[in-house]
Amino acid sequence: MLGAIGLDEQQEAAYRTLISLGAADVHDLAHRLALAEPDTERTLRRLERHGLAAQSSARPGRWVAAPPGVALGALLTQQRHELEQAELAAALLAEEYRAQVTEPAVYDLVEVVTGADAVARRFLQLQLGATSEVCALVTGRPVVISGHENEAEEQAAERGVAYRVVVERAVMTLPTGLTELTVALGRDEQVRVVDRVPTKLVIADRSLAMVPLTTADSDPAALVVHASGLLESLTGLFEAVWREALPLRLGEHGTVTEEEPDAPDATDLTILSLLLAGLTDASVAKHLDVGLRTVQRRVKHLMELTGATTRLQLGWHAYERGWVSREAASPGRSPA
């Protein structure tokens, strides 16, 4: 927990032990930490340099911990200052870099990253820099990204970043596919599956996206897209695939299973037919002898099911999916 202020696990354990004991000599501390005495001595010296421990003046040969509120507070203040300085330096370097670019307007929209290491590093930076949401399309043929991807997801999830991921069905047949999906679902990520995704894609906070420029058989290269019309198109592509995908969930025994797709029932279809015939919500409710809120709730569910944002779009989706015929039922009789 104290790694953020520069302590490793051994140093943190020694500091915590000193706090619990009040004072301890090297031999006793080494025994409690299961360390050799020279290693324990070095650890105490490092804590001393951090201002977290000191040799007792009243009890020679014994070490005591510095008060956490004072010692750790000073280290935290120092870390905050260094972080602020680093952020300022990064901003200045970014401005300096952009000033040297021949076409800065183009740079602001896209950047090309080439080479396996560079692509992997940029991919991880994109996830670790996210603050609210990461959306991803995952193919059955992962390129470049491997071991550190899960680590980046874990760190982002711990910071409260939400994940929405659509995977190709082929991912579930990979040697580690089901294991990684189980871990992702266990982190409360939303995961869906389709037979095939159009491309590998990652979008962070709807402000930055990354797509591959090459296939698995060529030298890796990727396009990083900043806020632009192209980014909006990529976001729209993700949302379209997301709507058509089936949710994955963890079964009773920790197995990954697909949820059955929702489908309208007979009442939903009747409501659709009557609305397309020109009836108002109130007229549909009266015709079916149900409450007005029931009709509105069912229409809202159908819009969520199809991804429609207007009732006009809902009618188009209903026709495309074969839910209603193009000859809408008349208000005076039940739909066929």
Side-chain angles (χ1 to χ4, degrees):
M1 294 176 62
L2 300 180
I5 58 174
L7 298 186
D8 59 27
E9 293 182 2
Q10 190 170 295
Q11 293 163 8
E12 180 176 347
Y15 182 59
R16 288 178 177 275
T17 303
L18 281 178
I19 289 176
S20 65
L21 295 177
D25 58 27
V26 173
H27 175 76
D28 184 26
L29 196 59
H31 175 72
R32 291 175 180 272
L33 296 175
L35 293 175
E37 290 190 16
D39 293 335
T40 303
E41 178 79 27
R42 282 192 291 271
T43 298
L44 288 169
R45 294 297 180 185
R46 293 191 185 101
L47 289 177
E48 186 178 33
R49 285 196 293 273
H50 282 298
L52 294 174
Q55 295 188 62
S56 173
S57 57
R59 305 168 73 179
R62 298 174 71 82
W63 288 77
V64 295
V70 176
L72 295 180
L75 288 176
L76 286 170
T77 300
Q78 180 182 352
Q79 289 288 326
R80 291 192 191 101
H81 177 70
E82 291 177 355
L83 181 59
E84 290 173 358
Q85 293 298 110
E87 289 176 342
L88 177 61
L92 293 174
L93 286 172
E95 289 300 321
E96 183 178 346
Y97 180 78
R98 293 189 183 193
Q100 300 301 320
V101 176
T102 305
E103 299 179 355
V106 175
Y107 170 83
D108 286 339
L109 297 180
V110 297
E111 56 179 297
V112 178
V113 182
T114 58
D117 290 341
V119 171
R121 188 163 53 249
R122 198 72 174 89
F123 177 82
L124 295 176
Q125 288 173 346
L126 187 143
Q127 289 194 84
L128 293 174
T131 59
S132 59
E133 182 184 54
V134 172
C135 300
L137 301 179
V138 181
T139 66
R141 300 181 66 191
V143 182
V144 177
I145 310 304
S146 56
H148 295 295
E149 183 172 8
N150 284 337
E151 181 180 339
E153 290 185 22
E154 289 175 5
Q155 293 182 27
E158 287 176 358
R159 291 185 286 106
V161 177
Y163 270 78
R164 288 194 292 150
V165 182
V166 182
V167 300
E168 280 187 346
R169 202 171 300 280
V171 170
M172 301 175 71
T173 65
L174 296 174
T176 61
L178 288 176
T179 300
E180 292 179 357
L181 289 174
T182 300
V183 172
L185 291 168
R187 288 195 295 262
D188 293 328
E189 295 183 16
Q190 297 183 63
V191 184
R192 296 187 177 185
V193 62
V194 291
D195 289 335
R196 184 174 178 81
V197 300
T199 182
K200 187 176 179 69
L201 170 66
V202 181
I203 304 173
D205 297 336
R206 293 180 178 266
S207 62
L208 199 63
M210 187 172 182
V211 290
L213 287 177
T214 53
T215 64
D217 300 324
S218 54
D219 190 35
L223 188 68
V224 178
V225 183
H226 297 251
S228 62
L230 177 56
L231 178 61
E232 292 177 4
S233 297
L234 292 173
T235 302
L237 172 63
F238 171 82
E239 296 295 349
V241 176
W242 175 262
R243 285 195 297 270
E244 298 299 321
L246 294 178
L248 293 179
R249 63 181 179 84
L250 284 177
E252 294 182 1
H253 303 291
T255 56
V256 177
T257 59
E258 295 180 27
E259 292 185 4
E260 292 296 325
D262 291 332
D265 59 21
T267 302
D268 290 331
L269 297 179
T270 301
I271 290 173
L272 270 175
S273 295
L274 293 173
L275 289 175
L276 291 171
L279 271 67
T280 64
D281 289 1
S283 297
V284 171
K286 183 178 180 181
H287 183 78
L288 298 179
D289 194 23
V290 297
L292 175 60
R293 289 189 177 181
T294 299
V295 173
Q296 293 172 337
R297 175 175 53 79
R298 284 178 173 268
V299 172
K300 181 181 178 182
H301 171 70
L302 290 169
M303 293 178 69
E304 292 174 348
L305 190 60
T306 59
T309 56
T310 65
R311 292 196 175 194
L312 181 62
Q313 290 179 351
L314 175 60
W316 181 85
H317 281 291
Y319 285 135
E320 287 295 310
R321 299 183 185 211
W323 291 350
V324 294
S325 66
R326 293 191 178 274
E327 295 180 358
S330 64
R333 59 185 178 88
S334 297

